[in-house]
């Protein structure tokens, strides 16, 4: 078990049951995946991360890069718990019986898709009443051939080959014989049928025919018309639809299969082992052992012994790999758990996984695997080079979506629904525009080496027409998001963006308390105390007696509340020129807005622009950004033993120029990232 977290930061709650047997889990039992002890760590302690289950984003990204699939199975998985503000914290990524069942189902779907051999065959069905024939006429839902002749369909055959021709028909029966029907392709009879069925029981007639590529006529022919006026007997053919399927028996391509099946598996056991070895090494993100390979190959052999094809055997083996703990988790093994050394370096493959899931929320690519195989990742210079390469890859957008999206709370836009009567201009399009503004804004600082404090004071942003209207800014044109210079001083910086202002409000009004707490926790890493029992929030008034600020001033007059609210409320007051969806205002409920405040230490400000400037210069801001990034990268919370590393990291970051790329390099080369505490001497207690 991981050691206890400091009492100032309670350990995240665990939820969920034990891991039930997974499909075919016995094939690949975990190899010595250990747990740490509860004893206090030694003085030099890089920490120890609980065995890390892939969260939903990591799972979908991993199967995308492993297989090349467009499926996103994790959308059906239970939501991941969060700890320390992120959903990749190993301590809270438990697994339930339901989740295990969903993993098994996803593995089945993914393996089936991977091994599928598609056909090039296509099927075209045409309703007969939409055609034009020289004989008969269209009825309500069919074509009535009331005398001998054909109902033609002109078709473009994509290639030469065998095709299936079919028609759904019935007859108005009269005379001694049933209705006689021919199916023709290019004037040649493909099949002849006696149709004794009526409208009460239509029948599908079908035949196979060879056809050359190009345009040909496919038709249904009525050959034995009969009419007896005296007896009022009339034999007719009715056609409901015509269908052409083909070419038959032509096997298509499956790019997913091609990247997995690297040789002909019908050629023997050596090829089967090669296929399984290459796939399992990528799935497990490390070399596989001979024992693991023997068990996988045994699955294929057993399937063949029971009469299945080698393809089916491989499909079952892929399912075994995709339900293995070595795929679903990121194990980091202790080479010598009982050693006296307090810590040991991660091996190159474990480091490769830490890097890729940090920057890409996905598995390593071939370049990272190659560096691991060559033992290069023990060199900090190589790690920094890999960071630069990986940040240039489009997959680094995962850092924007999963780190920035949670650090800045923009993910919370999905669940936030402003009240229509309070904010009638709100809609889903505005929600998505707000999200994209902050996303592009963060990317600008990540990709273009801009100093991090500039996020709070930047004189640029990204807007589209929807946001321009919302902000009262000139239209950037109809071509989507454009980087623009901000002329309005009230709209400068991250904190004035609609996404931040919306998620820190209530559905019906602003909240200086929520906004102040957001600044304290996300920008300054200062957690305010929980409110004491029995303290009530602001009561909604039918007839407003003052602005939100004025009513909070009365609330803070209570000595029980004042201690927590002095800094928090004053920070929140700086946002009060913006309503609950980020529109600028000068009045709140008919009362003048006061956006001034005084912070502990005597610093005063008026409005969000001045507050943002104070926060940008506050040393706690850079320290907090460093802590958030380190927490996200490690997948665990900040612990007392990390204090020296965090101080060193923050100082080095300030010395280097306070850029995100340098922060990421410093985190990736830090001891907590590259090393791991082992068991206590003598093993786990």
């Amino acid at each position: 078990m991981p050691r206890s977290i400091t009492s100032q930061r309670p350990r995240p709650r665990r939820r969920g049951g034990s891991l039930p047997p997974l499909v075919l889990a016995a094939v690949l039992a975990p190899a010595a995946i250990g747990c740490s002890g509860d004893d206090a760590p030694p003085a030099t302690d890089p920490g120890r991360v609980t065995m890390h289950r892939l969260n939903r984003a990591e799972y979908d990204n991993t199967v995308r890069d492993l297989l090349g699939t467009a499926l996103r199975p994790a959308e059906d998985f239970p939501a991941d718990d969060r700890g320390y503000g992120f959903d990749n914290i190993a301590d809270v990524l438990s697994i339930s019986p339901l989740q295990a069942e969903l993993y098994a189902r996803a593995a089945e779907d993914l393996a089936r898709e991977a091994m599928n051999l598609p056909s090039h065959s296509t099927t075209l069905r045409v309703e007969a009443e939409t055609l034009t024939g020289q004989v008969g006429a269209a009825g309500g839902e069919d074509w009535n051939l009331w005398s001998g002749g054909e109902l033609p369909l002109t078709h473009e055959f994509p290639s030469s080959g065998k095709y299936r021709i079919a028609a759904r028909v019935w007859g108005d029966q009269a005379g001694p014989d049933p209705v006689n029907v021919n199916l023709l392709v290019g004037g040649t009879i493909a099949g002849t049928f006696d149709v004794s069925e009526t409208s009460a029981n239509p029948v599908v007639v079908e035949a196979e025919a060879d056809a050359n590529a190009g345009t040909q006529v496919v038709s249904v022919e009525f050959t034995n018309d009969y009419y007896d006026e005296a007896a009022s007997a009339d034999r007719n053919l009715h056609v409901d639809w015509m269908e052409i399927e083909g070419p038959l028996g032509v096997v298509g391509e499956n790019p997913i299969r091609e990247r997995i099946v690297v040789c002909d598996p019908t050629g023997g056991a050596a090829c089967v082992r090669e296929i399984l070895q290459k796939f399992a090494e990528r799935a497990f993100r490390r070399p596989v052992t001979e024992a693991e390979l023997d068990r996988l190959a045994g699955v294929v052999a057993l399937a063949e012994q029971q009469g299945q094809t080698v393809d089916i055997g491989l499909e079952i083996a892929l399912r075994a790999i995709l339900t293995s703990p070595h795929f679903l988790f990121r194990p980091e093994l202790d080479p010598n758990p009982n050693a006296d050394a307090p810590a040991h370096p991660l091996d190159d493959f474990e480091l490769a996984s830490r890097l890729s899931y940090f920057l890409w929320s996905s598995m390593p690519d071939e370049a990272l695997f190659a560096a691991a195989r060559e033992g290069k990742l023990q060199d900090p210079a190589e790690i920094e080079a890999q960071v630069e390469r990986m940040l240039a890859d489009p997959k680094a957008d995962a850092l924007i979506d999963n780190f920035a999206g949670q650090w800045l709370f923009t993910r919370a836009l999905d669940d936030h629904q402003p009240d229509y009567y309070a904010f009638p201009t709100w809609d889903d399009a505005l929600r998505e525009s707000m999200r994209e503004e902050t996303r592009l804004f963060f990317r600008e600082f990540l990709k273009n080496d801009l100093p991090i404090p500039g996020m709070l004071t930047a004189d640029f942003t990204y807007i589209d027409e929807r946001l321009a209207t919302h902000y009262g800014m000139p239209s950037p044109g109809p071509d989507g998001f454009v980087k623009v210079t901000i002329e309005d001083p009230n709209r400068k910086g991250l904190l004035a963006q609609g996404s931040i202002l919306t998620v820190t409000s209530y559905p019906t009004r602003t909240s200086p308390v929520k906004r102040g707490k957001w600044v304290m926790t996300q920008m300054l890493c200062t957690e305010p105390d929980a409110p004491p029992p029995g303290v009530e929030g602001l009561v909604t008034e039918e007839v407003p007696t003052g602005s939100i600020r004025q009513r909070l001033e009365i609330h803070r007059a209570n000595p029980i509340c004042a201690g927590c609210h002095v800094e928090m409320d004053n920070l929140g007051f700086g946002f009060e020129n913006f309503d609950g969806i980020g529109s600028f205002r000068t009045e709140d409920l008919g009362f003048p807005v006061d956006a001034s405040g005084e912070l502990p230490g005597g610093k005063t400000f008026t409005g969000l622009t001045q507050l943002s400037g104070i926060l940008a210069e506050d040393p706690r801001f850079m320290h907090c950004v460093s802590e958030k990034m380190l927490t996200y990268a490690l997948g665990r919370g900040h612990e007392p033993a990390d204090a020296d590393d965090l101080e060193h990291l923050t100082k080095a970051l300030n010395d280097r120029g306070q850029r995100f790329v340098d922060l990421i390099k410093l985190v990736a080369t830090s001891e907590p990232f590259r090393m791991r505490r082992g068991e206590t001497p003598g093993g786990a207690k």
Side-chain angles (χ1 to χ4, degrees):
M1 295 171 58
R3 76 169 187 273
S4 299
I5 308 291
T6 173
S7 59
Q8 292 179 341
R9 293 209 168 191
R11 178 173 177 159
R13 170 178 60 88
R14 280 190 176 276
R15 188 185 74 181
S18 60
L19 176 64
L22 296 173
V23 173
L24 301 171
V27 175
L28 289 170
I33 298 177
C35 298
S36 59
D38 291 322
D39 296 310
T44 301
D45 179 15
R48 184 178 180 88
V49 181
T50 303
M51 190 168 68
H52 189 131
R53 174 177 65 77
L54 301 185
N55 67 18
R56 295 200 304 171
E58 292 167 342
Y59 183 97
D60 274 344
N61 291 345
T62 299
V63 297
R64 176 201 66 198
D65 295 338
L66 174 65
L67 297 164
T69 181
L71 298 177
R72 298 188 63 81
E75 291 181 352
D76 296 327
F77 294 173
D80 297 309
D81 283 339
R82 289 161 53 92
Y84 302 100
F86 298 103
D87 64 3
N88 70 335
I89 302 300
D91 270 354
V92 301
L93 288 172
S94 57
I95 187 168
S96 66
L98 171 62
Q99 192 139 19
E101 291 177 15
L102 293 173
Y103 281 142
R105 183 186 303 172
E108 185 176 354
D109 292 341
L110 291 166
R112 183 186 302 114
E113 179 193 40
M115 293 303 296
N116 179 46
L117 274 175
S119 169
H120 275 156
S121 174
T122 60
T123 300
L124 171 70
R125 175 178 292 185
V126 178
E127 297 296 328
E129 65 271 17
T130 65
L131 298 173
T132 301
Q134 295 181 347
V135 176
E141 296 183 354
D142 64 88
W143 185 279
N144 181 0
L145 284 161
W146 55 57
S147 62
E150 299 178 20
L151 177 63
L153 166 63
T154 302
H155 180 66
E156 180 76 23
F157 288 88
S159 60
S160 299
K162 192 174 290 295
Y163 289 80
R164 183 183 70 88
I165 312 300
R168 187 173 188 260
V169 296
W170 66 88
D172 296 329
Q173 305 297 337
D177 301 317
V179 171
N180 186 261
V181 177
N182 287 335
L183 296 180
L184 299 93
V185 177
T188 301
I189 296 175
T192 298
F193 310 89
D194 287 332
V195 176
S196 58
E197 288 78 7
T198 66
S199 59
N201 58 339
V203 64
V204 175
V205 295
E206 61 180 60
E208 291 185 1
D210 292 321
N212 295 322
T215 302
Q216 296 190 65
V217 175
V218 176
S219 58
V220 178
E221 183 183 23
F222 177 33
T223 65
N224 63 337
D225 185 30
Y226 175 88
Y227 178 67
D228 184 344
E229 184 176 2
S232 297
D234 188 8
R235 182 189 297 153
N236 301 317
L237 171 65
H238 293 263
V239 183
D240 183 11
W241 48 253
M242 297 171 64
E243 193 170 81
I244 303 170
E245 178 186 0
L248 303 176
V250 179
V251 177
E253 298 178 351
N254 180 352
I256 299 176
R257 179 188 170 95
E258 289 177 3
R259 68 191 297 177
I260 296 172
V261 182
V262 294
C263 54
D264 182 2
T266 61
C271 173
V272 169
R273 290 179 73 88
E274 181 182 358
I275 291 170
L276 295 174
Q277 179 180 8
K278 290 182 181 297
F279 183 77
E281 285 187 349
R282 295 183 67 240
F284 295 168
R285 305 171 286 274
R286 59 161 174 80
V288 295
T289 66
E290 283 299 313
E292 289 170 330
L293 194 53
D294 288 342
R295 289 194 288 272
L296 285 168
V299 170
V300 182
L302 180 60
E304 291 185 283
Q305 291 169 16
Q306 295 182 351
Q308 301 290 347
T309 65
V310 66
D311 273 12
I312 295 298
L314 284 170
E315 182 179 322
I316 297 171
L318 296 188
R319 287 167 55 190
I321 292 170
L322 294 173
T323 51
S324 167
H326 293 280
F327 171 73
L328 298 173
F329 290 81
R330 289 162 45 197
E332 295 174 349
L333 307 184
D334 293 333
N336 186 0
N338 298 325
D340 291 335
H344 68 272
L346 298 175
D347 71 32
D348 284 74
F349 289 97
E350 292 166 346
L351 265 177
S353 283
R354 279 205 178 186
L355 266 178
S356 64
Y357 283 98
F358 172 24
L359 300 184
W360 290 344
S361 296
S362 186
M363 62 179 288
D365 65 353
E366 186 50 44
L368 203 50
F369 276 135
R373 281 191 291 269
E374 296 169 15
K376 292 181 177 180
L377 296 181
Q378 299 302 323
D379 180 1
E382 175 66 20
I383 292 178
E384 292 202 8
Q386 290 289 344
V387 166
E388 289 189 358
R389 179 187 71 84
M390 294 170 72
L391 287 178
D393 192 288
K395 288 188 288 187
D397 278 356
L399 194 66
I400 302 171
D401 296 330
N402 300 324
F403 169 70
Q406 295 181 88
W407 170 43
L408 301 177
F409 278 23
T410 53
R411 271 197 188 179
L413 279 168
D414 291 328
D415 301 319
H416 190 80
Q417 188 58 53
D419 181 81
Y420 173 78
Y421 294 101
F423 305 107
T425 61
W426 176 265
D427 56 25
D428 287 340
L430 182 57
R431 183 201 313 272
E432 293 309 313
S433 291
M434 286 180 175
R435 190 201 317 275
E436 189 65 8
E437 176 193 20
T438 305
R439 193 172 181 273
L440 294 172
F441 183 79
F442 182 87
R443 176 188 279 150
E444 184 80 11
F445 283 82
L446 177 66
K447 301 284 189 178
N448 293 325
D449 295 340
L450 302 179
I452 297 171
M455 293 181 70
L456 300 179
T457 58
D459 63 354
F460 70 88
T461 191
Y462 287 83
I463 60 171
D464 61 359
E465 279 196 299
R466 185 73 177 85
L467 270 184
T469 300
H470 184 64
Y471 290 162
M473 297 171 65
S475 170
D479 298 329
F481 277 85
V482 176
K483 183 180 179 182
V484 298
T485 299
I486 298 174
E487 303 295 340
D488 181 359
N490 295 303
R491 191 57 75 175
K492 292 184 178 180
L494 171 72
L495 304 187
Q497 293 183 6
S499 60
I500 307 299
L501 296 164
T502 299
V503 297
T504 54
S505 297
Y506 289 119
T508 58
R509 63 171 175 85
T510 63
S511 173
V513 175
K514 285 185 70 174
R515 288 171 169 177
K517 183 179 179 182
W518 181 88
V519 172
M520 291 180 70
T521 58
Q522 304 308 111
M523 301 288 106
L524 304 177
C525 289
T526 302
E527 189 71 34
D529 293 334
V535 174
E536 296 183 359
L538 292 181
V539 178
T540 301
E541 295 181 331
E542 299 244 351
V543 179
T545 59
S547 66
I548 293 294
R549 174 174 186 143
Q550 291 167 336
R551 294 169 61 201
L552 275 174
E553 296 282 4
I554 298 172
H555 184 72
R556 287 167 51 205
N558 184 342
I560 298 176
C561 305
C564 297
H565 281 266
V566 168
E567 181 175 14
M568 186 163 56
D569 286 6
N570 273 282
L571 288 167
F573 291 150
F575 293 78
E576 275 297 277
N577 275 127
F578 297 92
D579 70 11
I581 58 172
S583 297
F584 189 80
R585 65 182 183 178
T586 56
E587 289 187 351
D588 174 24
L589 300 175
F591 300 91
V593 164
D594 180 1
S596 64
E598 180 177 353
L599 301 177
K603 287 189 176 181
T604 61
F605 62 86
T606 300
L608 190 54
T609 301
Q610 291 184 15
L611 173 60
S612 295
I614 292 172
L615 294 173
E617 296 175 356
D618 191 324
R620 292 180 295 172
F621 173 64
M622 286 306 299
H623 191 279
C624 184
V625 176
S626 300
E627 181 179 330
K628 296 289 184 183
M629 187 69 79
L630 184 64
T631 298
Y632 178 81
L634 296 177
R636 66 167 173 82
H638 177 58
E639 300 180 357
D642 298 322
D644 289 343
D645 289 298
L646 190 55
E647 289 299 328
H648 170 75
L649 189 155
T650 305
K651 182 180 183 304
L653 176 61
N654 289 332
D655 291 343
R656 287 194 184 190
Q658 301 180 321
R659 303 174 305 165
F660 271 115
V661 64
D662 291 316
L663 173 57
I664 292 167
K665 288 178 179 179
L666 289 165
V667 167
T669 55
S670 67
E671 284 198 1
F673 191 86
R674 296 187 299 114
M675 302 187 72
R676 172 181 178 84
R677 172 163 51 84
E679 302 280 5
T680 55
K685 298 296 188 286

